[in-house]
Amino acid sequence: GQAGAGEPGPSASEYCARNFHKKVLDNLASLPPGCTSDTFVKAALVKSFEDLDKDLLETQPDIKDGCGAAVALLLGEYIFTGVVGACDATLCEAKPEQRGSNAAGVAVPLGRAQGRCGHPDERARLIRAGGTVVGEGPMARVIGAAGSSKVSRSLGDPAWKKGVGPPGAGGVLTCIPEIQSIKLSWAEQHQYLLLATMPVAEALGPQEMVDAIADFQAQPRASCGELTARAVAKVPDPLDMQFTVVEVWFLHGGPSGPDGDDEAADGRSASGEAPKKKAKTPASVAVPGGEIKSA
């Protein structure tokens, strides 16, 4: 609830946290046969954000606040990230000469091309939608009929999306996320992924976050604690802010494990025979989109 356009509140973020995964599963399951490249998966993720925002605006009239989101979806060897608002996702890549060492890697921002009014493309879009952008860089804000906002995208925030802006332009704010897809090389090149809330993302830059936790290899709890502590120390009045960081550490071997090989990952034994099917149980669940491959 820190990355909304209005007063911070927990209602929109709680609703989105409970329902986002349902939208993703529904949209992945509805992909036509053969339409499983990264282009279609990205489209399914965008639609999930749109469906969630529509439900929030139309079926939850009592929720007046908004929120941002930073999510990750792992499909086989590919990771998809979606970021809306001033939250952030950062991938750490090891330089070739650093692989296998504890040296800090290179930060790859995955969500900073949107959500902030000072970004050139965002400024132009906000003006087209009927808003007025004042200030530059991190201090930029959009002024509209609903007031003033430092974020240009969010989930919820009905005052900024219902009946505002020129005819046909929709609301001043939008829920369309920045979507990225990366083929992982797991712990060899891609060490970990960070998901951070707005207060952390504003206090620490992507490379600053990666440098700060270089000594905490494969220690997600310690890494997140270090980053939140540093972010809190840099904010003048942190009492009413939510500082949250999630680190996803990538293990050697990926889905097949450190001793896995292509045959094991393909679900076949060394003899080339497919494994025997397991007996179905009442608790078994088929996960839609589980065999999606990226182009």
Side-chain angles (χ1 to χ4, degrees), residues 202-262:
E202 288 192 331
L204 304 172
Q207 191 60 51
E208 189 176 2
M209 287 193 282
V210 168
D211 292 342
I213 58 176
D215 294 332
F216 299 100
Q217 296 290 302
Q219 300 177 67
R221 185 183 295 272
S223 297
C224 295
E226 178 69 16
L227 291 175
T228 53
R230 292 195 181 208
V232 168
K234 295 184 69 173
V235 175
D237 187 16
L239 295 180
D240 295 329
M241 295 185 177
Q242 180 184 9
F243 295 80
T244 304
V245 182
V246 175
E247 182 185 64
V248 181
W249 187 270
F250 301 124
L251 300 177
H252 286 278
S256 58
D259 299 322
D261 52 29
D262 291 340

Side-chain angles (χ1 to χ4, degrees), residues 126-143:
L126 291 168
I127 293 173
R128 288 195 303 269
T132 301
V133 181
V134 297
E136 299 291 338
M139 302 304 295
R141 304 180 72 89
V142 58
I143 309 297

Side-chain angles (χ1 to χ4, degrees), residues 19-135:
N19 292 281
F20 182 76
H21 67 286
K22 302 175 186 177
K23 301 298 183 184
V24 173
L25 292 176
D26 288 344
N27 284 310
L28 289 178
S30 65
L31 290 175
C35 298
T36 56
S37 69
D38 66 338
T39 299
F40 291 98
V41 176
K42 287 179 178 180
L45 285 175
V46 171
K47 188 174 186 302
S48 299
F49 277 88
E50 292 178 317
D51 292 347
L52 184 65
D53 192 55
K54 182 179 179 181
D55 282 0
L56 183 55
L57 295 174
E58 295 182 356
T59 69
Q60 304 296 317
D62 293 334
I63 297 180
K64 305 300 184 183
D65 59 333
C67 67
V71 302
L73 173 67
L74 185 63
L75 294 176
E77 295 182 345
Y78 287 81
I79 190 165
F80 296 80
T81 59
V83 181
V84 64
C87 302
D88 202 12
T90 301
L91 182 69
C92 177
E93 285 190 351
K95 296 178 182 178
E97 65 272 15
Q98 294 176 336
R99 295 176 187 176
S101 72
N102 287 343
V106 177
V108 181
L110 302 176
R112 299 216 169 201
Q114 57 77 50
R116 294 160 176 83
C117 300
H119 192 282
D121 291 341
E122 289 293 82
R123 179 184 292 267
R125 184 189 62 77
L126 291 168
I127 293 173
R128 288 195 303 269
T132 301
V133 181
V134 297

